[in-house]
Every structure is written in C-alpha cells, then in structure tokens.
Amino acid sequence: MLGKSTCLAFLMICLHPLLLCSAASGPSQLGAGSALSVEEHARPFLVSPDATFSCGFLEAGENAFSFSVWYTGAADKTAVWTANPGAPVNGRGSRITFRRDGGLALADANGTAVWESKTSGEGLAVSLLDSGNLVISDPSGTAVWQSFDWPTDTLVPSQPLTKETTLVAGYFSLYYDNDNVLRLRYDGPDTSSIYWPSPDYNVFGNGRTSYNSSRIGVLDDDGVFLSSDNLAARASDLGPSVKRRLTIEQDGNVRIHSLNATTGGWTVTWAAMAQPCSVHGACGQNAICEYQPGLRCSCLPGYEMVDRKDWRRGCRPMFSVTNCSQGQAPPEGRFKFVKVAQTDFYGYDLGYNSSVTFEHCEKLCLEMCSCSAFSYRLTGTGVCYPKGTLFNGYTSPNFPGSIYIKLPIDFDASAQPVAAHSSQGLACNPDGPEIIQGSPDTFRRPRNNVKWSYLFAFATVLGVVDVIFIATSWWFLSSKQSIPSSLEAGYRMVTGQFRRFTYRELKDATGNFKEEIGRGGSGVVYRGVLDGGKVVAVKKLTNVAGGDEEFWAEVTVIGRINHINLVRIWGFCSQGKHKLLVYEYVENESLDRHLFDMNRTALPWRERYRIALGTARGLAYLHHECLEWVIHCDVKPENILLTREFDAKIADFGLAKLSKRDGVGDSFQLSHMRGTTGYMAPEWARNVPVDAKVDVYSYGIALLEIVIGSRISDQTTAGGERLEMSQIAQALRQVVDTGDVVPLVDGRLQGQLNPRQALEMVRISLSCMQERSNDRPTMDDIAKVLTACDDEDEHPAYRS
Ligand SMILES: *[C@@H]1O[C@H](CO)[C@@H](O)[C@H](O)[C@H]1NC(C)=O
Ligand SMILES: *[C@@H]1O[C@H](CO)[C@@H](O)[C@H](O)[C@H]1NC(C)=O
Ligand SMILES: *[C@@H]1O[C@H](CO)[C@@H](O)[C@H](O)[C@H]1NC(C)=O
Ligand SMILES: *[C@@H]1O[C@H](CO)[C@@H](O)[C@H](O)[C@H]1NC(C)=O
Ligand SMILES: *[C@@H]1O[C@H](CO)[C@@H](O)[C@H](O)[C@H]1NC(C)=O
C-alpha cells in the first residue's frame, strides 16, 4: 500500500509546472523515426534541458492545432515560434514526425504536409535548446536548420531579427527596410503604409540612423532590445533572470512582455507606440481613430461600418458614390461639406496648396470628382489638402485642422452625431457637427485663428512624399541641395537640430555663463548665442542621476518631443559632471511675471484664454501623445513661458525622468519630490506612486490663477487668515452653481472678459482639484473642452 506522503509528494511534483513529471516531461533531443500525434497534445514533443521551453502541439482554435515552441512557465502557453502560423492542423489524425531521412514534417489528418523543415542527411537529431531555439543538427553538432531563422511574430532573448527575417501579425510587419531602418508597416487589402518610426520625422528626427548596414536587432537577457539603426528599447523591469519576449501583436503594436514566474502571467514592459491611433489601418477606411484613453473607432458622418465585428474593414458610404472613371466633373451645387474638427487623414492627398482661402479649397474639392473630403487649416495662410481615399483617420485635441467631408446635399448627416461626446461632466459645446452648405453665399470661414504647430503644418507635406523620403534618404542626406524647394522648410524643421554640444561651445555661447535668466529646482538657466547667431537658453542641471549613456538615452527622448506649446530642446551636453540642456529662447518671460506683477498692465482676457488652452494642449501632448508618456511634475506659472504673441510654451518637461529615481518598475516613483508648494497634488504627501493626474491638479491651480490674477496660496479671508484649499473649492462650487463668475475674475480687467469662458475655466479648475486623482479629468478632456469654448467672438466684452 502506498504511503500518504508518497501520494502528496507525487501531487506536488505534478502541480509545479517547471518540475518534470509524466504529464509535462519530454526529451530534449530526438533521433530519426520519432513522432508525436496530435491526440497526445498534452505531452510535449521536446522540452529544453533546463525546462525553460517546451515544444509540441498547441490548441489554435476549435479542433485546430499548431506545432509551436512556448515558455514552459507561461500559463497561457503563448507561442514564441510556430511552424504553421495561420494554417492549423486537424485535432484528429495530424502528426509531427522526425523522419528517417532527417526531415521534420507536420502532416494534417489527410496526410498532406502542412510544414517541412526540408532537411535530410544521415544521423540528424532534433533538439530544443534552453534559448528556445529548435535545432536540427548533424552528428558533428552543426545546425542544418533552426527555428531562430524562421521567426513568426516573436523574438526571444538572443534570437536576432536580421535583414532576412520579418515578424508578422495579420496585416502588420516588423522588418529592416532597404535603408537599414527597423520599421512597422501596415499592408492591408487596399493600402499599405509605414507608421513606425513616426512618418512625420525623418530617420534622424526619430533618433535612428541609416548608416549601419548590419541590420540586426537582438533582445538581450537584461531586457534591452538593441537594433543596429540606433533603437534601444528598454523593458521597464530591466535586469537578468526575467523571461521575456518581443512580439508584434494583432493590433499592430510591438511590445516586450515579461513573464511573472509566480503566476505564469505576462506583463507588458515596453511598447513601440504609446498612442494606438498611430498604427495605420487600426480603424479601416472612412473611419476615425480616437484615444481617450482606450482606442475608439467611429465612422465619418454619412458612412456606416462594413462589418459590425471588424473595424479593420472600415466604413462605407450610405449614399451613392459618383462613378469617377467616366471622366466628368460632377455638377456643382449637389454637395455639401460636414466638418469634423481636429481630425486628419494620413496620406492620399490629391493636391496641396498652402495659401488659399477656405472657399477656394472647397471649390477645389467640388471640382475634383474623386475628392471625398478636404483638410483645411489656418497657419497664417490657409493650408488645403483635397483627399481621395480617407484612410488612417485620427482625431486629437492637439491636431491643428479640420476635415470637411463631401456629402450629397440632400443627405441628412445631422441625425448621426460624430465624436460629440463629453466626459467627466465637462462640456462646453455639445452641438453636433457643424454643417456647411455647398452653395457659395452660405460658406462660412472657420473662426479658429490659433497659430498651429509648424510640425503639423509640415506633417502632411511629408506624408505626400513619405515614399520618396524612405527610398532616397541616403541620397537626401548626402545632397541637401537636391531637396525640392517646396519641401525645404519642412525638411529643415523636422530634421531638427537636436545635437550634442561640447562644454566649451556652451561656455563660449553664454560668455562663461554670464547672463542668468532663470533659476529653478533643476538648475540655473543662462542666455546664450550660438555660432549661427541663434539665441538659446542654456540650463545647467544639478542633481542628475545615472551615467553618460543613461543621460543620453533620456535626453534623446526629450529631444524628440515637439509641440508648439512645449519649449523646443535643441541639444545637450554631457561631459563628466557637466550636464546641460540647450533650449529655444522664449522672449516674453514666464506667466507668473505677467499675472502677479501688479506694476504691469494686466494680461487681456483673450491672451489669458489662449495661454490656458495652449498649456492644456502641451500637457495633453505630453501625457497622451508623446512617444513615451511624460509627466511634468512641476506645472506652475513659472514654467509656462510666453512668446512675443503670448502663446504658451511649457518649460522643464521631461526632467522628472532625469532626476534621481528609486528602483525600477512601471510605477513611477521619485526619490525626492519634484514640484512646488501650492501646486502639488495631495498624493505627493502620501508617498504613493504618482501618475499624470498630479499635473492635472497643478494645472487646475494655475488655471484658476489665470482667472483671478493672483496666487491661490496668497488668498486670505477678510480677517487676513490664509484660505484652505477646501474653502477655496467651496467658493468655486458656489460660483459654478450660481454662474456668477465675474466678481471672481481679476479686477484689473474691468469687466473686459468672456464670462462663458471664465465660468468654464472655473469649472475645469474645480474638477482638477479633486482629492482623489481618479476623479480629475485628463488633460485631453480639458483641452477638448477649452477648444470647444474657443470658438467665440473675436473681441469679447462683458456687459452688465
Ligand atoms: C487535406 O486537408 C486540408 C484541410 O483540411 C485541405 O486543404 C487539403 O486539400 C486536403 N488534401 C488532400 C490531399 O485531401
Ligand atoms: C552597427 O550595429 C552593430 C549591431 O548593433 C554594432 O555592433 C556595430 O558596432 C555598429 N556599427 C557601427 C559602425 O556603428
Ligand atoms: C507576480 O504576480 C504577483 C501576483 O499578481 C505579484 O504580487 C508579483 O509582484 C508579481 N511579480 C512580478 C515580478 O511582477
Ligand atoms: C464606372 O464607369 C466605368 C466606365 O463607364 C465602368 O466600366 C464601371 O463599371 C463603372 N463602375 C461602377 C461602379 O459603376
Ligand atoms: C494655389 O492657389 C493659387 C490661388 O488660387 C493658385 O494661383 C496656385 O496655382 C495654386 N497652387 C497650386 C500648387 O495648386
């Protein structure tokens, strides 16, 4: 009779996935003549010597199996290699055989070979190595075939991606392009385009290089994926002894996953794109992608989903489309345009004209039979893009233009509101889409006169020539004079002059750090003039963590951040203890001097609103759209710089990443608080990991200061006592309830203000001050509401 303890020991061995017992064990090497039938799929074909990897049949659907390799410890047995991706074999009668002739073959139930290693020879053996490589080797030990040469959608550590290999998932692929750059491409049924690295920048603007032709990328045991084009992707749980994989996934993103050895679950520790809408083809044709957060697809007005279950198939028109192949222009007056704000479609421009009126742009689209919409924005002059195919649609509060959809004049699109939603109780202009009739006298010009980002102004220009850029970037780089003149400005702009400076250069530029123009927690700022005469602000950093390489990596991330409401960074210097950053020089000082200095003339209302909106957009960009999400951690009027036109530019972002940080991990924890009393969210004091909502809190305080024109921390009662935040919130709630906002606004404006905007600002401010960070809105929400309220009269005045 078996003893009780033997039984228990047996059970425990079987329960532990890494220990080998009859159900989970397998040989690590097999000779010719071995086979495994699919009915025995509970048993692995091979297990690597240290049991890290297993190989055998994996369920790939109902009664469907694949022959794959997986991490033995992964609860979900995610395949890291598959012999027959997309072509599963029958769950009955299928078989993997290592034949006498030395070939490994997967046969379906009816005997058809679904996959073969195409090897042959005497004395071959098949083995699964501890690296996860499935190898067929000859008696001398030389590999004649290995699975590492035939990756499917995943790389495991030490498995290289080379010029011969590609990772594929559905319509998406990760591969080395002809110019040596590692890219992601969407190759759908109708269109094909590259979406990573960002097509809005050239190779160098993306921090890559096309000079190294080795074309190799490897994930190492510490969780760093190094590619020969300069890409260095670091898993957030850097360090050895974690099992990881790098996978291109069905949503078109590439991620590093780390295995939790205790639970057998996977955690994402790096992703190529923070913004899922930048994946091309995510929502299909005639649809718009929006991230809020979480990806949302919606059809354009006048369009409906092709397949209710699959957004990738996009939307089709609900009206009859003119057949353009007959070569005739449609008669005018049969169309109208429906505006979809802050939206653009990438590529497929039928033309481009940078200085036309809205009416002219509209006429262009009416006259072109194949024009299905046009994009228009004012960047000083009107920029007009008539569009044919509508693909890669993307809505974002930071996007500087609108798209106007061409619809038959009798089509009722107002019945179907687009993207007209509000969140967290914030709403300013909940109207449906603005309808513009297609007859000349009812044309209305958009009243939006915001100065948009240069980046965006050129983004679409680059879109048109995307293909040329990629195919000829070598040639472009070696002969700058050959750039077409229409592109030159854009090219220069996006190339950026982000570079490394020597300490000597910056010492000379600043006249040995003579003229101090600012001072803050992270260092002292000096005015400088570079060789070409460009005026810059040079910041000497104190308290920088990490070595040279780490600093370089972090600064390159900041260097790629480019938005009109963020101070542009031109370069850096890292020489021993000298760590400096070189910024664009912003002429008009910081917001605090204009708001709180009683000797100055008061900032007019329109400028205040523009600054509030610009700051919200800049922060929304940092939080939601950056290549890597960035928390500012020190939002306050001192860090909001103003241009000559009083446009806001946020300074000092990205520095939280540079300062000394505790440990590693995906939660963000600083070893010392960054931030300024009076602007700091309550969670700072609780010493818990913080997120982007700390910036939302600080923004709320700054926003209120813009309205009232003095420091919140200086507010007192009639008796001279300092007001608590709770008392301030109480007062604001009363203002919001009664709508009587004017008494709260800076008295120096003498009633010259837009009360609707002021009330909205107070309402936003109040929601930002919520104690619980989850109750606060996101910067995206705020930017949307402020943008909606921006469509106001040019010269608002309050009349009592
Ligand atoms: C075997 O089955 C597969 C799918 O089940 C089928 O595509 C193939 O044509 C069949 N081959 C033969 C020879 O019957
Ligand atoms: C090219 O890339 C490879 C792999 O990353 C690296 O080992 C090599 O040093 C690089 N060559 C140059 C010239 O940078
Ligand atoms: C693994 O998962 C457990 C349970 O969710 C968690 O407590 C632990 O921190 C995780 N380990 C790692 C390294 O993430
Ligand atoms: C469009 O017109 C062309 C030429 O007249 C014709 O061959 C084609 O079938 C038409 N397409 C549709 C969708 O009607
Ligand atoms: C742009 O529009 C102007 C004014 O209508 C016109 O003269 C010019 O030729 C157009 N340019 C292009 C490139 O279409």
Side-chain angles (χ1 to χ4, degrees):
M1 211 171 147
L2 267 159
K4 211 175 188 177
S5 56
T6 325
C7 250
L8 270 177
F10 175 78
L11 271 174
M12 278 166 68
I13 288 169
C14 272
L15 285 172
H16 198 292
L18 289 183
L19 291 179
L20 313 177
C21 66
S22 65
S25 72
S28 64
Q29 188 176 61
L30 288 171
S34 319
L36 182 74
S37 71
V38 72
E39 284 85 356
E40 303 170 88
H41 64 259
R43 189 159 71 80
F45 183 58
L46 290 168
V47 175
S48 71
D50 72 358
T52 300
F53 288 95
S54 300
C55 159
F57 284 105
L58 276 188
E59 234 173 315
E62 202 177 327
N63 197 37
F65 284 82
S66 66
F67 180 68
S68 302
V69 174
W70 64 90
Y71 273 109
T72 312
D76 64 355
K77 293 193 180 178
T78 309
V80 297
W81 175 80
T82 293
N84 53 327
V89 293
N90 198 306
R92 266 191 212 101
S94 302
R95 202 170 172 78
I96 181 86
T97 313
F98 189 49
R99 296 188 309 240
R100 300 266 167 218
D101 67 1
L104 186 63
L106 176 64
D108 206 345
N110 57 15
T112 323
V114 173
W115 171 82
E116 277 179 279
S117 66
K118 300 201 175 80
T119 46
S120 62
E122 280 291 307
L124 297 187
V126 58
S127 48
L128 182 61
L129 309 186
D130 287 333
S131 60
N133 198 359
L134 182 67
V135 177
I136 297 172
S137 47
D138 65 17
S140 74
T142 310
V144 294
W145 179 93
Q146 54 179 348
S147 64
F148 272 18
D149 290 341
W150 306 90
T152 46
D153 59 357
T154 297
L155 295 180
V156 291
S158 85
Q159 175 182 12
L161 185 71
T162 66
K163 57 177 173 292
E164 266 104 33
T165 54
T166 300
L167 300 189
V168 179
Y171 295 143
F172 306 105
S173 50
L174 177 74
Y175 67 106
Y176 279 99
D177 215 331
N178 293 333
D179 64 349
N180 306 322
V181 175
L182 184 64
R183 291 204 164 87
L184 279 170
R185 182 178 58 201
Y186 166 81
D187 203 350
D190 308 316
T191 67
S192 161
S193 54
I194 283 160
Y195 56 91
W196 182 83
S198 169
D200 294 346
Y201 300 83
N202 69 6
V203 172
F204 294 85
N206 277 306
R208 308 284 191 92
T209 175
S210 47
Y211 292 143
N212 191 330
S213 55
S214 6
R215 296 193 199 170
I216 185 165
V218 190
L219 178 66
D220 69 14
D221 286 329
D222 286 332
V224 182
F225 176 76
L226 272 183
S227 162
S228 54
D229 68 351
N230 239 358
L231 169 74
R234 293 179 165 79
S236 59
D237 61 351
L238 276 190
S241 75
V242 178
K243 298 185 168 69
R244 301 186 182 86
R245 61 185 168 92
L246 180 144
T247 304
I248 180 168
E249 296 180 271
Q250 292 297 327
D251 66 357
N253 208 342
V254 171
R255 298 184 180 88
I256 296 179
H257 294 258
S258 300
L259 187 65
N260 184 324
T262 322
T263 63
W266 293 101
T267 310
V268 175
T269 46
W270 179 81
M273 272 159 298
Q275 172 53 267
C277 285
S278 9
V279 173
H280 283 180
C283 292
Q285 203 165 333
N286 301 316
I288 317 169
C289 182
E290 195 178 2
Y291 192 74
Q292 50 163 10
L295 191 140
R296 190 187 118 161
C297 296
S298 55
C299 286
L300 286 171
Y303 290 78
E304 63 184 355
M305 266 184 97
V306 172
D307 176 352
R308 290 248 149 238
K309 286 189 227 76
D310 188 1
W311 269 110
R312 290 178 308 174
R313 304 206 43 209
C315 307
R316 62 173 162 235
M318 297 193 290
F319 48 88
S320 60
V321 182
T322 321
N323 187 345
C324 289
S325 54
Q326 281 147 359
Q328 68 203 40
E332 278 193 47
R334 274 181 35 202
F335 294 99
K336 65 183 172 188
F337 289 91
V338 175
K339 175 182 175 181
V340 183
Q342 273 147 3
T343 299
D344 200 9
F345 284 83
Y346 180 83
Y348 308 101
D349 305 313
L350 299 173
Y352 157 68
N353 200 320
S354 67
S355 53
V356 291
T357 59
F358 180 79
E359 290 79 357
H360 186 86
C361 188
E362 192 169 37
K363 194 155 162 283
L364 274 178
C365 186
L366 278 177
E367 284 168 357
M368 264 185 257
C369 179
S370 53
C371 178
S372 42
F374 67 90
S375 148
Y376 189 79
R377 57 179 168 263
L378 280 170
T379 40
T381 60
V383 181
C384 167
Y385 293 97
K387 300 250 171 200
T389 306
L390 301 177
F391 209 67
N392 307 324
Y394 183 1
T395 294
S396 148
N398 293 305
F399 194 78
S402 297
I403 190 105
Y404 298 84
I405 315 294
K406 185 161 142 191
L407 292 176
I409 196 145
D410 49 5
F411 188 86
D412 183 15
S414 59
Q416 184 210 25
V418 235
H421 61 275
S422 60
S423 41
Q424 316 236 2
L426 295 173
C428 185
N429 198 356
D431 306 340
E434 191 180 334
I435 312 276
I436 298 169
Q437 297 292 325
S439 80
D441 8 83
T442 50
F443 282 151
R444 264 188 294 153
R445 207 188 154 90
R447 266 172 290 156
N448 224 334
N449 62 345
V450 182
K451 287 197 68 193
W452 300 111
S453 151
Y454 293 104
L455 165 66
F456 283 118
F458 296 115
T460 326
V461 181
L462 288 173
V464 185
V465 292
D466 186 32
V467 183
I468 307 173
F469 250 122
I470 288 157
T472 60
S473 69
W474 271 96
W475 172 74
F476 258 57
L477 288 160
S478 52
S479 54
K480 274 195 180 171
Q481 69 278 13
S482 56
I483 299 163
S485 61
S486 62
L487 275 174
E488 203 168 349
Y491 175 77
R492 265 203 230 109
M493 192 61 210
V494 294
T495 311
Q497 275 105 48
F498 185 77
R499 68 178 189 94
R500 187 171 197 151
F501 291 87
T502 63
Y503 186 67
R504 174 94 235 160
E505 265 179 287
L506 297 182
K507 201 170 157 189
D508 289 348
T510 55
N512 200 11
F513 304 101
K514 200 172 65 210
E515 193 182 335
E516 183 178 323
I517 53 176
R519 186 176 273 268
S522 53
V524 184
V525 189
Y526 303 89
R527 185 176 186 276
V529 183
L530 295 182
D531 267 350
K534 178 151 73 179
V535 184
V536 292
V538 178
K539 172 169 232 161
K540 258 184 158 171
L541 294 173
T542 47
N543 227 343
V544 179
D548 205 47
E549 201 174 310
E550 232 174 287
F551 182 72
W552 175 297
E554 298 282 16
V555 162
T556 319
V557 172
I558 309 176
R560 277 186 283 164
I561 298 175
N562 189 353
H563 186 269
I564 187 138
N565 296 116
L566 300 174
V567 174
R568 188 90 175 90
I569 178 166
W570 296 125
F572 68 101
C573 162
S574 173
Q575 251 171 277
K577 63 179 174 22
H578 299 301
K579 302 272 195 291
L580 300 97
L581 297 175
V582 181
Y583 290 103
E584 87 179 281
Y585 183 77
V586 185
E587 300 92 347
N588 224 340
E589 300 182 295
S590 49
L591 175 62
D592 58 310
R593 310 212 185 166
H594 292 271
L595 274 185
F596 308 137
D597 184 346
M598 295 300 153
N599 299 324
R600 292 196 191 214
T601 49
L603 261 183
W605 182 258
R606 268 185 63 194
E607 269 71 61
R608 289 183 197 227
Y609 196 78
R610 235 199 7 250
I611 293 162
L613 177 59
T615 309
R617 284 193 175 137
L619 287 173
Y621 179 82
L622 282 181
H623 291 177
H624 304 288
E625 282 191 79
C626 252
L627 296 165
E628 303 202 11
W629 295 15
V630 177
I631 312 178
H632 189 293
C633 293
D634 198 10
V635 176
K636 57 179 174 181
E638 284 77 356
N639 278 334
I640 301 170
L641 306 186
L642 302 177
T643 66
R644 208 173 312 160
E645 289 81 29
F646 288 98
D647 281 314
K649 282 189 186 276
I650 302 169
D652 248 14
F653 55 86
L655 295 186
K657 287 196 82 166
L658 289 175
S659 52
K660 294 194 174 103
R661 202 175 355 176
D662 270 345
V664 283
D666 38 12
S667 74
F668 184 85
Q669 201 142 21
L670 300 170
S671 60
H672 54 248
M673 282 194 232
R674 226 180 95 87
T676 307
T677 322
Y679 298 90
M680 265 154 55
E683 56 265 32
W684 280 115
R686 291 199 292 268
N687 199 24
V688 294
V690 300
D691 61 14
K693 293 295 179 70
V694 297
D695 286 351
V696 174
Y697 182 93
S698 312
Y699 175 82
I701 303 286
L703 183 65
L704 190 56
E705 291 179 338
I706 292 175
V707 174
I708 69 173
S710 56
R711 293 250 191 226
I712 301 304
S713 52
D714 291 347
Q715 303 306 307
T716 52
T717 60
E721 275 174 72
R722 254 198 65 195
L723 278 179
E724 299 285 327
M725 278 315 291
S726 59
Q727 292 170 295
I728 289 173
Q730 177 69 37
L732 295 184
R733 230 168 275 132
Q734 207 172 329
V735 169
V736 168
D737 288 346
T738 60
D740 188 16
V741 71
V742 178
L744 189 72
V745 178
D746 193 346
R748 290 175 293 171
L749 289 175
Q750 300 180 327
Q752 293 292 311
L753 66 115
N754 180 325
R756 204 161 89 88
Q757 291 178 338
L759 187 61
E760 201 54 58
M761 287 160 88
V762 172
R763 196 177 290 159
I764 292 170
S765 181
L766 184 60
S767 64
C768 292
M769 287 175 200
Q770 312 256 19
E771 181 79 18
R772 285 187 24 193
S773 64
N774 283 344
D775 295 342
R776 298 173 206 147
T778 65
M779 284 317 300
D780 244 358
D781 297 334
I782 296 169
K784 272 184 194 149
V785 175
L786 288 176
T787 303
C789 274
D790 192 31
D791 269 347
E792 289 281 320
D793 294 339
E794 296 261 301
H795 300 285
Y798 170 72
R799 282 175 291 274
S800 49

